[in-house]
Amino acid sequence: GDRLRRGTAAALRPYAALGLLGAALSVTAYGLVLWAQTRADLAPVSALRESSILVGAAIGALFFKERFGAPRLAAAGLLVVGIGLMLHTG
């Protein structure tokens, strides 16, 4: 119990600052989306927010050598079509 908890805390300690930075950036990004939705039409803001999924997939493929096979390519294509529909109908 307690020994396991101390070991886990010790193993995670070097990553604490990076984890807190990631959490702060995530909260900030969410706040910016909410703020943008009060200032502009919802469709373009939503389309821009959803496009971040494509950016994340590209970063994963380019920098972390993740596979970008047919299923991921199909999902990215559907996402682009969905973004286009949001912008067209919005």
Side-chain angles (χ1 to χ4, degrees), residues 31-55:
L32 286 171
V33 167
L34 290 179
W35 174 80
Q37 289 177 341
T38 66
R39 303 280 186 212
D41 291 336
L42 187 58
V45 173
S46 295
L48 183 61
R49 192 182 98 212
E50 297 305 322
S51 69
S52 69
I53 296 170
L54 294 173
V55 173

